[in-house]
């Protein structure tokens, strides 16, 4: 399995699945979530609304993942996961690991061979990029099924340097 780190906009990636850093409601938002909803088109929001709530207002609890079609994206699937809001506690790491792990498990079920991740939780949720990249590396390296490529698509130059150093070392 190849691990690739690149700079750019994840909505443009030509992979089987892209991962969205969503929130528990799954009805869109800012950051990468907003970009994905804009690029996938309004069918995505309509589809998300139709997903069952596990409790009022929650379609995807933190650390879990859900899959939808990619609609207008070139990616066939969007795997929506919810990372933790960073509080500097041990639980953050467990939940971020779960977000990566459950995204990969869902990818496996849907026979995804190439997947692109954004820096989950590293925007408004405040997770430091360096620590998040270490979590991502741990989960992806331990994943043994026949995924061909895990791609990390990082938006900003300075963050890209951090992810590249940690994931390609
Ligand atoms: N492609 C790749 N990465 C991007 C893109 C893009 N088009 N746009 C932003 N990023 P964030 P979170 C980077 O805040 O911290 C939303 O409102 C961005 O620079 O999108 O998990 C959701 O609805 C940052 O490094 O996600 C939730 O409410 C990274 O993506 C909440 O934000 C993640 O930043 C989730 O917060």
């Amino acid at each position: 399995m190849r691990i690739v780190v690149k700079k750019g906009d994840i909505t443009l990636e030509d992979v089987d699945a892209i991962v969205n850093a969503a929130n528990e409601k799954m009805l869109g938002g800012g950051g990468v979530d907003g970009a994905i909803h804009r690029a996938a088109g309004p069918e995505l929001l309509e589809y998300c609304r139709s997903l069952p709530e596990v409790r009022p207002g929650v379609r995807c609890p933190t650390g879990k993942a859900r899959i939808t079609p990619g609609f207008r994206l070139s990616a066939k699937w969007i795997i929506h996961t919810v990372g933790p809001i960073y509080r500097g506690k041990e639980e953050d790491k467990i939940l971020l690991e779960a977000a990566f792990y459950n995204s990969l498990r869902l990818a496996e079920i849907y026979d995804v061979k190439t997947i692109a991740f954004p820096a989950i939780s590293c925007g408004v949720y405040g997770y430091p990029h360096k620590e998040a990249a270490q979590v991502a590396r741990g989960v992806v390296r331990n994943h043994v099924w026949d995924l061909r490529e895990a791609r990390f698509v990082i938006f900003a130059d300075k963050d890209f340097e951090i992810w590249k150093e940690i994931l390609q070392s």
Side-chain angles (χ1 to χ4, degrees), residues 8-11 20-23 28-36 83-84 118-127 129 153-156 159:
D9 174 357
I10 200 167
T11 65
N20 182 17
N23 57 55
V32 71
D33 193 6
I36 290 172
I120 301 163
S121 281
C122 295
V124 296
Y125 282 1
Y127 217 105
H129 280 275
V153 183
I154 308 301
F155 208 51
D159 306 332

Side-chain angles (χ1 to χ4, degrees), residues 98-161:
F100 279 105
Y101 177 77
N102 286 317
S103 299
L104 286 168
R105 268 194 30 180
L106 207 43
E108 183 176 16
I109 292 166
Y110 282 80
D111 202 31
V112 163
K113 301 292 183 214
T114 53
I115 186 168
F117 287 97
I120 301 163
S121 281
C122 295
V124 296
Y125 282 1
Y127 217 105
H129 280 275
K130 188 174 171 195
E131 289 173 35
Q134 285 163 344
V135 168
R137 180 178 64 182
V139 178
V140 170
R141 280 194 177 167
N142 280 330
H143 220 76
V144 289
W145 52 281
D146 63 340
L147 182 69
R148 247 188 357 250
E149 184 180 316
R151 195 178 293 175
F152 292 86
V153 183
I154 308 301
F155 208 51
D157 284 316
K158 64 176 196 325
D159 306 332
F160 167 70
E161 294 303 327

Side-chain angles (χ1 to χ4, degrees), residues 68-117:
T68 69
F71 297 103
R72 300 180 195 180
L73 297 178
S74 75
K76 183 171 183 197
W77 303 108
I78 303 167
I79 295 173
H80 305 258
T81 191
V82 182
I85 296 171
Y86 186 75
R87 296 192 171 88
K89 297 194 172 146
E90 186 58 22
E91 196 198 20
D92 303 337
K93 182 169 179 262
I94 292 163
L95 288 169
L96 188 60
E97 275 170 357
F100 279 105
Y101 177 77
N102 286 317
S103 299
L104 286 168
R105 268 194 30 180
L106 207 43
E108 183 176 16
I109 292 166
Y110 282 80
D111 202 31
V112 163
K113 301 292 183 214
T114 53
I115 186 168
F117 287 97

Side-chain angles (χ1 to χ4, degrees), residues 25-27 37 42-54 58-59 66-69 71:
K25 288 196 185 76
M26 278 189 76
L27 297 179
H37 272 268
E43 299 92 336
L44 175 59
L45 181 60
E46 202 180 312
Y47 189 95
C48 287
R49 276 192 207 287
S50 76
L51 295 176
E53 291 183 340
V54 294
V58 176
R59 292 182 179 77
R66 301 285 185 263
I67 194 163
T68 69
F71 297 103

